[in-house]
Amino acid sequence: MSVITVGQAVVLGAVEGVTEFLPVSSTGHLKIVEGLMGIPVGDDAVVGFSAVIQVGAIAAVLVYFFRDIVRIVSAWGRGLRHREERHHRDYKFAWWVVCATIPIVAVGLAAKPLIEGPLASLWVVAGSLIVGSGVMWAADQMGRHKRGEDDTSFKDAMLVGGSQVLALLFPGFSRSGATMSTALILDLDRVAATRLSFFLGIPALTGAGLYELKDALGSGVGAMPLAVGTTVSFVVAYASIAWLLRFVAKHSFNAFVIYRIVVGALLSGLLGAGVLHS
C-alpha cells in the first residue's frame, strides 16, 4: 500500500505548485503539510515523492518560458558547432546556467546524509524560514534594482546559482528566496532576479527529481499518487509563475517576508506544543 494516498497527493501537489517558485520554501511547506496529515516526513519514499513532484513545477517553467529556452538552447547548439556563434549572449548564458548548477550538485551529493538526516528537522525549517526572512528583507532594502536581465554576468550567475546551496542545507530558507535575495544584493531589479531564479532552478530541480525517482517508486509510493501529485503541481505552478512575475513588477518582497515569519513562528509553536514532531 502506498504511504501517500491519491487525495494526499493532490494536496501536496498543490502545495508544491504554489510554493516552489515563491520565496517561501516549498520544502518547508511540504514538510509542514506532510506532518499535519500524519505522513512520515523522513521516510525515503516521502522524500523521493517530494522531489519527483517538483518535476511537475519545473515542467511548468519549461512550458511558460518555452520560447526563451528554445532560443537559449539553439544558440548553445550553434555555438558548439560554430566558433563565430560563441559571442552570442544566449550561448554564454547557457554555459552560465551549467556552471552555476555545479555547486548545488556537488554539495547535494557530498552532504546527502546530513540533508536527509539532521537537517531535515522541522526545527531547522522553522529557523530557516525566519532567518531567511531577514535576509530577504535586507536584500530588498539594500538592492538598488537598477540592473535588468541583459545586464547579468557570469559572476552574477555563479553567485546566484551558488546561493541555492543555502536552501539545500537549510530547508525553509527557500531556493527561490536565496537566489532572488542574492540577485537583489547584486542590484538586479525584481523581475530580472525572479527570471534568473527560474532559469537557474531548471537543471537543479529536474536533476533532483530524476535522481529521487527510484526511491519514490521503489520504497512505498504508488505510481498513481506520484502521477497525480506531479500533474497537480504542474497546473498550479504554471498559474503561480504567471502571478509572481506580475506581482514583482509592481511590489516589494515585504509580503513574503511577513508571511515567512508568521509561518516560521506558527511552526515553532506547533512543534513546541507537541502537535507536530520534528
Side-chain angles (χ1 to χ4, degrees):
M1 182 178 294
S2 175
V3 296
I4 296 176
T5 67
V6 171
Q8 290 171 331
V10 170
V11 174
L12 294 174
V15 171
E16 165 63 24
V18 169
T19 61
E20 180 59 57
F21 301 110
L22 301 186
V24 297
S25 175
S26 61
T27 301
H29 279 74
L30 284 172
K31 288 182 180 295
I32 292 170
V33 175
E34 288 165 358
L36 291 174
M37 291 195 297
I39 298 171
V41 175
D43 188 283
D44 286 345
V46 176
V47 173
F49 175 87
S50 299
V52 172
I53 63 173
Q54 287 179 337
V55 176
I58 287 298
V61 173
L62 295 176
V63 173
Y64 193 91
F65 293 107
F66 181 73
R67 292 183 179 179
D68 294 298
I69 293 170
V70 169
R71 188 189 73 244
I72 292 168
V73 172
S74 297
W76 186 63
R78 290 195 303 271
L80 291 177
R81 296 191 305 271
H82 308 290
R83 183 182 296 273
E84 62 272 15
E85 294 287 336
R86 295 175 187 174
H87 70 281
H88 200 288
R89 179 176 177 78
D90 286 335
Y91 170 79
K92 295 177 182 178
F93 184 77
W95 276 116
W96 297 352
V97 171
V98 172
C99 293
T101 304
I102 294 174
I104 192 171
V105 172
V107 173
L109 293 175
K112 194 171 188 290
L114 280 175
I115 294 168
E116 296 181 355
L119 294 178
S121 167
L122 288 178
W123 282 111
V124 175
V125 172
S128 299
L129 276 165
I130 295 172
V131 172
S133 299
V135 173
M136 186 182 301
W137 179 84
D140 206 12
Q141 298 301 310
M142 290 169 54
R144 290 178 286 178
H145 315 292
K146 67 176 184 178
R147 300 171 58 206
E149 189 172 356
D150 291 339
D151 298 320
T152 56
S153 64
F154 175 70
K155 176 183 175 182
D156 296 328
M158 289 301 296
L159 290 173
V160 173
S163 69
Q164 295 179 108
V165 171
L166 288 172
L168 187 65
L169 296 176
F170 306 106
F173 203 98
S174 168
R175 190 202 63 82
S176 295
T179 52
M180 291 178 191
S181 296
T182 303
L184 290 173
I185 291 172
L186 295 170
D187 293 331
L188 269 68
D189 62 47
R190 295 186 183 99
V191 173
T194 302
R195 283 175 59 88
L196 184 59
S197 175
F198 285 143
F199 288 122
L200 290 176
I202 291 173
L205 294 177
T206 301
L210 295 176
Y211 181 79
E212 296 287 355
L213 182 60
K214 63 182 186 304
D215 291 332
L217 290 175
S219 302
V221 175
M224 182 58 71
L226 199 60
V228 169
T230 303
T231 301
V232 172
S233 172
F234 168 81
V235 174
V236 176
Y238 189 92
S240 180
I241 293 167
W243 175 84
L244 180 60
L245 286 171
R246 290 195 301 270
F247 180 85
V248 298
K250 298 179 180 180
H251 301 86
S252 72
F253 286 101
N254 288 344
F256 297 120
V257 170
I258 295 170
Y259 175 80
R260 289 170 57 103
I261 293 173
V262 170
V263 173
L266 177 61
L267 177 57
S268 296
L270 291 173
L271 290 168
V275 177
L276 290 178
H277 301 286
S278 62

PDB file of all heavy atoms in Angstrom, residues 127-141:
ATOM      1  N   GLY A 127      13.431  27.627  11.822  1.00  0.00           N
ATOM      2  CA  GLY A 127      14.504  28.615  11.973  1.00  0.00           C
ATOM      3  C   GLY A 127      14.916  29.217  10.653  1.00  0.00           C
ATOM      4  O   GLY A 127      15.149  30.436  10.545  1.00  0.00           O
ATOM      5  N   SER A 128      14.984  28.381   9.608  1.00  0.00           N
ATOM      6  CA  SER A 128      15.398  28.859   8.290  1.00  0.00           C
ATOM      7  C   SER A 128      14.369  29.802   7.685  1.00  0.00           C
ATOM      8  O   SER A 128      14.720  30.755   6.981  1.00  0.00           O
ATOM      9  CB  SER A 128      15.629  27.673   7.358  1.00  0.00           C
ATOM     10  OG  SER A 128      16.649  26.833   7.849  1.00  0.00           O
ATOM     11  N   LEU A 129      13.087  29.529   7.924  1.00  0.00           N
ATOM     12  CA  LEU A 129      12.039  30.424   7.439  1.00  0.00           C
ATOM     13  C   LEU A 129      12.218  31.825   8.020  1.00  0.00           C
ATOM     14  O   LEU A 129      12.149  32.827   7.303  1.00  0.00           O
ATOM     15  CB  LEU A 129      10.657  29.871   7.818  1.00  0.00           C
ATOM     16  CG  LEU A 129      10.052  28.820   6.893  1.00  0.00           C
ATOM     17  CD1 LEU A 129       8.877  28.122   7.578  1.00  0.00           C
ATOM     18  CD2 LEU A 129       9.608  29.443   5.577  1.00  0.00           C
ATOM     19  N   ILE A 130      12.478  31.888   9.320  1.00  0.00           N
ATOM     20  CA  ILE A 130      12.592  33.186   9.988  1.00  0.00           C
ATOM     21  C   ILE A 130      13.894  33.897   9.614  1.00  0.00           C
ATOM     22  O   ILE A 130      13.899  35.082   9.267  1.00  0.00           O
ATOM     23  CB  ILE A 130      12.479  32.998  11.512  1.00  0.00           C
ATOM     24  CG1 ILE A 130      11.078  32.493  11.867  1.00  0.00           C
ATOM     25  CG2 ILE A 130      12.781  34.306  12.239  1.00  0.00           C
ATOM     26  CD1 ILE A 130      10.898  32.083  13.312  1.00  0.00           C
ATOM     27  N   VAL A 131      15.010  33.167   9.665  1.00  0.00           N
ATOM     28  CA  VAL A 131      16.300  33.774   9.318  1.00  0.00           C
ATOM     29  C   VAL A 131      16.307  34.211   7.847  1.00  0.00           C
ATOM     30  O   VAL A 131      16.774  35.306   7.508  1.00  0.00           O
ATOM     31  CB  VAL A 131      17.459  32.783   9.582  1.00  0.00           C
ATOM     32  CG1 VAL A 131      18.769  33.340   9.032  1.00  0.00           C
ATOM     33  CG2 VAL A 131      17.583  32.505  11.071  1.00  0.00           C
ATOM     34  N   GLY A 132      15.765  33.363   6.970  1.00  0.00           N
ATOM     35  CA  GLY A 132      15.702  33.712   5.556  1.00  0.00           C
ATOM     36  C   GLY A 132      14.864  34.946   5.291  1.00  0.00           C
ATOM     37  O   GLY A 132      15.123  35.690   4.347  1.00  0.00           O
ATOM     38  N   SER A 133      13.862  35.168   6.141  1.00  0.00           N
ATOM     39  CA  SER A 133      13.032  36.368   6.003  1.00  0.00           C
ATOM     40  C   SER A 133      13.867  37.625   6.212  1.00  0.00           C
ATOM     41  O   SER A 133      13.725  38.611   5.484  1.00  0.00           O
ATOM     42  CB  SER A 133      11.889  36.342   7.031  1.00  0.00           C
ATOM     43  OG  SER A 133      11.063  35.225   6.838  1.00  0.00           O
ATOM     44  N   GLY A 134      14.736  37.571   7.223  1.00  0.00           N
ATOM     45  CA  GLY A 134      15.604  38.719   7.482  1.00  0.00           C
ATOM     46  C   GLY A 134      16.547  38.988   6.326  1.00  0.00           C
ATOM     47  O   GLY A 134      16.773  40.145   5.948  1.00  0.00           O
ATOM     48  N   VAL A 135      17.090  37.914   5.758  1.00  0.00           N
ATOM     49  CA  VAL A 135      17.998  38.050   4.615  1.00  0.00           C
ATOM     50  C   VAL A 135      17.259  38.664   3.430  1.00  0.00           C
ATOM     51  O   VAL A 135      17.762  39.576   2.751  1.00  0.00           O
ATOM     52  CB  VAL A 135      18.585  36.676   4.224  1.00  0.00           C
ATOM     53  CG1 VAL A 135      19.394  36.792   2.932  1.00  0.00           C
ATOM     54  CG2 VAL A 135      19.452  36.134   5.353  1.00  0.00           C
ATOM     55  N   MET A 136      16.043  38.179   3.174  1.00  0.00           N
ATOM     56  CA  MET A 136      15.268  38.686   2.042  1.00  0.00           C
ATOM     57  C   MET A 136      14.903  40.161   2.221  1.00  0.00           C
ATOM     58  O   MET A 136      15.008  40.955   1.287  1.00  0.00           O
ATOM     59  CB  MET A 136      13.997  37.856   1.879  1.00  0.00           C
ATOM     60  CG  MET A 136      13.187  38.208   0.639  1.00  0.00           C
ATOM     61  SD  MET A 136      11.679  37.232   0.527  1.00  0.00           S
ATOM     62  CE  MET A 136      12.401  35.582   0.503  1.00  0.00           C
ATOM     63  N   TRP A 137      14.493  40.522   3.428  1.00  0.00           N
ATOM     64  CA  TRP A 137      14.139  41.920   3.690  1.00  0.00           C
ATOM     65  C   TRP A 137      15.352  42.824   3.495  1.00  0.00           C
ATOM     66  O   TRP A 137      15.254  43.878   2.855  1.00  0.00           O
ATOM     67  CB  TRP A 137      13.603  42.059   5.119  1.00  0.00           C
ATOM     68  CG  TRP A 137      13.234  43.483   5.449  1.00  0.00           C
ATOM     69  CD1 TRP A 137      12.064  44.127   5.170  1.00  0.00           C
ATOM     70  CD2 TRP A 137      14.078  44.449   6.105  1.00  0.00           C
ATOM     71  NE1 TRP A 137      12.113  45.436   5.605  1.00  0.00           N
ATOM     72  CE2 TRP A 137      13.341  45.661   6.180  1.00  0.00           C
ATOM     73  CE3 TRP A 137      15.369  44.410   6.626  1.00  0.00           C
ATOM     74  CZ2 TRP A 137      13.873  46.807   6.770  1.00  0.00           C
ATOM     75  CZ3 TRP A 137      15.893  45.554   7.204  1.00  0.00           C
ATOM     76  CH2 TRP A 137      15.141  46.736   7.280  1.00  0.00           C
ATOM     77  N   ALA A 138      16.500  42.406   4.045  1.00  0.00           N
ATOM     78  CA  ALA A 138      17.728  43.203   3.919  1.00  0.00           C
ATOM     79  C   ALA A 138      18.140  43.335   2.452  1.00  0.00           C
ATOM     80  O   ALA A 138      18.539  44.419   1.995  1.00  0.00           O
ATOM     81  CB  ALA A 138      18.853  42.571   4.734  1.00  0.00           C
ATOM     82  N   ALA A 139      18.029  42.253   1.692  1.00  0.00           N
ATOM     83  CA  ALA A 139      18.416  42.276   0.281  1.00  0.00           C
ATOM     84  C   ALA A 139      17.538  43.227  -0.514  1.00  0.00           C
ATOM     85  O   ALA A 139      18.013  43.983  -1.371  1.00  0.00           O
ATOM     86  CB  ALA A 139      18.329  40.867  -0.305  1.00  0.00           C
ATOM     87  N   ASP A 140      16.237  43.201  -0.218  1.00  0.00           N
ATOM     88  CA  ASP A 140      15.309  44.068  -0.939  1.00  0.00           C
ATOM     89  C   ASP A 140      15.565  45.534  -0.606  1.00  0.00           C
ATOM     90  O   ASP A 140      15.399  46.419  -1.448  1.00  0.00           O
ATOM     91  CB  ASP A 140      13.870  43.689  -0.584  1.00  0.00           C
ATOM     92  CG  ASP A 140      12.888  44.048  -1.689  1.00  0.00           C
ATOM     93  OD1 ASP A 140      13.338  44.379  -2.802  1.00  0.00           O
ATOM     94  OD2 ASP A 140      11.668  43.989  -1.443  1.00  0.00           O
ATOM     95  N   GLN A 141      15.978  45.794   0.632  1.00  0.00           N
ATOM     96  CA  GLN A 141      16.276  47.166   1.039  1.00  0.00           C
ATOM     97  C   GLN A 141      17.621  47.634   0.499  1.00  0.00           C
ATOM     98  O   GLN A 141      17.773  48.790   0.076  1.00  0.00           O
ATOM     99  CB  GLN A 141      16.279  47.263   2.575  1.00  0.00           C
ATOM    100  CG  GLN A 141      14.954  46.940   3.233  1.00  0.00           C
ATOM    101  CD  GLN A 141      13.839  47.837   2.785  1.00  0.00           C
ATOM    102  OE1 GLN A 141      13.962  49.069   2.793  1.00  0.00           O
ATOM    103  NE2 GLN A 141      12.716  47.249   2.381  1.00  0.00           N
TER     104      GLN A 141
END
